[in-house]
Amino acid sequence: MPVLIAIAIYAIRLVRAPMDVRLKKRHAGPLTVTAGAVVLYLAWDWLRQDGISTVYFVGEFAGVAAAYLMTCTLVLATRLTWLEQWFGGLDRMYFWHKQYALGSMLLLSPHLLLHFFSGFDGSADHYAGTPRAGQLVGMGHVLGAASAIGLLVLVLISLGQVGRILRLPYERWLFLHRLTGLLLLSALVHGWFLDLVINGSAILLALYVTMATVGLAAYAYDELVLRRREPQADYTIHRVSRPATDIVELTLAPTGSHALPLIGGQFVYLRVGGRRAWREHPFSVAGVQPDGSVRLTVRALGRGTQKLYTDVREGLPATLNGPYGMFDHTLGGPRQIWIAGGIGIAPFLGWLTHPSGTLPHADLFYCAPTADTAPFLAELTEATECLPGLRLHPTFSRSQGHLTAERIRTTAGPLTPDTHVFLCGPASMVEDLSRDLHRQGIPRDHVHAEHFAFR
C-alpha cells in the first residue's frame, strides 16, 4: 500500500508540474506497469488461502511477477503507435521492453530457490484436495523448465556483449526471439497447473487468465497482424550519395499517391529491394521534401548497414514503415541546446532543412573526431546562416577533447533550469552528457535523448 501511495503522490506532482503535457504522458506507461505489479502482489497476498507458507507464497509470486513482466515485454514489442506517447517514443518502449525482460529473468531465481526451500517437492501428494490433484503435475514441471531455459537463452542472446561473442545472424536471432510468446504460454500453463495460490481463489485465477490473454493477444498481433496493418508506403531509391567512406545518403521518392506523413526527427523502418532482399532497419528522417521525398543518412556500423552501403543503388524499390519516435524540438521551450554526435546529426538535419514549424533559439553542437569526419558541416553552416536564431558550434574531440557541460556553458551561455537539451549520438556520449547536465541543474525532463542503440 505505501508504494501505491507514493506512486499516486508522484503522479499528482507530475500532473501539476509546469511542463508540456506530452512530457507528462511519457511517465504514465512505466508508472502503470509498476502500479500493476503492486496491485498484483496485494491481490495475491490478500486472497491467498490459509496454510500457504510465506516462503512458498513469495516464491510462487516471483514466478507470477516474472510472467507479468514478460507479458509487458510482448505488449511493448507490438510497436503500437498510440503506446508511444505513454512511454516517450518507440526507442523508450524498446528500452523498457529490455528492462522488463531482464527483470523477468531475475525473478526466476527466487521463484526456483524459494520453491525449493519451502519444502514443497512438487509431487502429486501436495495437490490432494485441490482441482489439480494428481493431474498433469509432471507436465507442469516440464513446461516450467522448458520456458525458464528458453526465456533465459533469449534474454542472454539479446544482450549486446553476448551477441557480439556469438555473432548470431540477425535472421536467426529474430526467429528465436519470435518464440517468446510460445515460451510465455508454456510458463503460464505451468503456473496454472501447479500454483496452489492461483488455484485456491477464483479471483486470482481470473486475474491470471486476464494477464495471459493480454500477453498472448499482443503476441498474436505481433506475429499475425503487425506486418499487414503497420502504416507503410512504397518508395523508389531516387538518389544515392556517399559523403564519407562509411556514410550513405538516400533520397526516396514515393511511387504512388500515398506517402508517409513524416517530419524531421522521427524515424522509419526501411526495407530495400522487396521483402526478402534487405531486412528492415530503423533510420532517422534527415529531411522531407514538399513532394514527399524522404532523406535518410546511414552509417555503415554493422553487417546490415555495411551491405546497404555497398549494394544500394538508384532505382531499387523500397518500403518505409512508420513514422515512429518523439524526438521533437517543440517539446522544449524558447531556450534550447542541440547536441549531435556523428550520424546522430540526422534528426537535426531534418529540423533545419525542412522545419515543420517555428524554430527556437538554439545552440547546435556538432561533435565529430575531426572536421574530415563531419561531412554535413558545410550544409549545417549554410542552414544556420539563414536562421539567425540558431548558432552552430563544431566540436572536434581529437583536438578539443570531448564535449562537457562546462564547455557548453562557456560557449552557449548559462544553463538555466528552463533550458531544454536535445541529444542524439553514441550511447556513451548521451549517458555521460546527461549525467553532467543533471549535475549542472538541468531537470531530467528537460534532457531529451534519442536512443538508437536498438537500431
Side-chain angles (χ1 to χ4, degrees):
M1 188 62 71
V3 178
L4 285 179
I5 295 175
I7 292 174
I9 293 173
Y10 181 82
I12 292 172
R13 291 181 61 185
L14 190 64
V15 170
R16 297 179 62 184
M19 68 174 70
D20 191 294
V21 68
R22 291 171 293 175
L23 295 178
K24 298 178 182 181
K25 283 184 176 181
R26 64 177 53 184
H27 294 269
L31 279 177
T32 300
V33 172
T34 303
V38 175
V39 170
L40 208 61
Y41 174 79
L42 293 176
W44 251 251
D45 188 39
W46 288 338
L47 297 174
R48 63 169 166 166
Q49 62 271 43
D50 296 333
I52 298 293
S53 71
T54 300
V55 174
Y56 176 83
F57 167 76
V58 174
E60 290 304 280
F61 181 76
V64 172
Y68 170 73
L69 290 180
M70 192 55 65
T71 294
C72 293
T73 67
L74 290 176
V75 172
L76 294 181
T78 57
R79 287 178 11 193
L80 290 168
T81 53
W82 62 267
L83 270 179
E84 281 194 287
Q85 61 184 318
W86 306 109
F87 286 86
L90 186 62
D91 53 332
R92 298 300 299 174
M93 284 174 62
Y94 276 118
F95 168 82
W96 287 112
H97 168 89
K98 184 176 181 179
Q99 300 307 307
Y100 296 149
L102 290 173
S104 178
M105 292 302 98
L106 291 176
L107 286 168
L108 286 181
S109 294
H111 173 63
L112 297 173
L113 290 174
L114 294 177
H115 184 82
F116 174 78
F117 286 114
S118 69
F120 180 79
D121 62 10
S123 65
D125 295 339
H126 284 82
Y127 293 93
T130 71
R132 300 292 169 194
Q135 299 176 13
L136 303 176
V137 174
M139 180 62 71
H141 288 298
V142 171
L143 291 173
S147 61
I149 295 172
L151 290 172
L152 179 61
V153 169
L154 290 181
V155 171
L156 286 176
I157 65 175
S158 298
L159 298 177
Q161 293 179 341
V162 176
R164 285 189 291 270
I165 293 173
L166 295 177
R167 296 183 64 83
L168 190 68
Y170 175 81
E171 290 73 16
R172 294 182 183 178
W173 174 89
L174 180 62
F175 172 77
L176 293 174
H177 206 66
R178 291 172 66 178
L179 300 176
T180 303
L182 298 178
L183 293 172
L184 176 62
L185 175 61
S186 177
L188 291 167
V189 174
H190 154 81
W192 184 31
F193 284 169
L194 300 181
D195 194 320
L196 297 175
V197 179
I198 293 174
N199 286 282
S201 168
I203 296 176
L204 295 185
L205 182 59
L207 287 174
Y208 191 74
V209 171
T210 300
M211 181 177 66
T213 302
V214 171
L216 296 177
Y219 177 65
Y221 175 85
D222 191 22
E223 290 296 318
L224 304 176
V225 180
L226 175 63
R227 291 162 184 81
R228 296 175 177 83
R229 295 293 302 274
E230 189 176 31
Q232 65 179 31
D234 294 325
Y235 289 76
T236 299
I237 305 295
H238 178 66
R239 185 167 58 250
V240 178
S241 63
R242 293 175 174 82
T245 56
D246 59 347
I247 294 177
V248 60
E249 188 168 84
L250 309 176
T251 301
L252 298 94
T255 57
S257 59
H258 173 62
L260 294 181
L262 304 173
I263 59 174
Q266 294 181 306
F267 63 88
V268 292
Y269 279 84
L270 168 69
R271 184 185 296 112
V272 177
R275 293 187 174 273
R276 299 184 179 276
W278 192 79
R279 68 175 179 84
E280 66 175 16
H281 198 287
F283 298 111
S284 292
V285 175
V288 182
Q289 301 283 352
D291 64 357
S293 296
V294 180
R295 177 188 182 189
L296 302 178
T297 59
V298 180
R299 169 157 279 164
L301 295 173
R303 283 176 290 183
T305 49
Q306 287 172 356
K307 179 177 174 61
L308 179 68
Y309 178 89
T310 57
D311 296 351
V312 70
R313 64 183 186 276
E314 295 175 1
L316 285 176
T319 301
L320 294 181
N321 293 347
Y324 297 102
M326 296 180 63
F327 196 64
D328 185 354
H329 66 80
T330 64
L331 290 169
R335 175 76 174 103
Q336 298 187 13
I337 303 292
W338 298 354
I339 305 172
I343 201 64
I345 193 63
F348 300 103
L349 285 172
W351 294 351
L352 289 174
T353 55
H354 297 92
S356 57
T358 303
L359 292 176
H361 291 280
D363 289 88
L364 171 58
F365 291 83
Y366 181 22
C367 304
T370 66
D372 293 335
T373 58
F376 303 102
L377 183 56
E379 179 181 356
L380 290 169
T381 301
E382 181 180 352
T384 52
E385 287 176 351
C386 301
L387 299 167
L390 290 163
R391 296 188 297 173
L392 176 64
H393 309 287
T395 304
F396 306 124
S397 58
R398 289 185 184 173
S399 58
Q400 301 171 321
H402 293 292
L403 185 66
T404 63
E406 181 62 33
R407 182 181 299 173
I408 294 172
R409 182 168 57 185
T410 301
T411 305
L415 297 175
T416 56
D418 62 343
T419 301
H420 284 254
V421 181
F422 291 83
L423 280 158
C424 186
S428 58
M429 183 198 82
V430 171
E431 292 171 5
D432 292 343
L433 278 174
S434 294
R435 286 195 298 267
D436 205 4
L437 290 163
H438 294 327
R439 286 194 291 266
Q440 296 295 326
I442 302 296
R444 293 185 181 276
D445 283 314
H446 286 197
V447 177
H448 315 270
E450 172 81 326
H451 300 268
F452 55 89
F454 74 94
R455 303 187 189 188

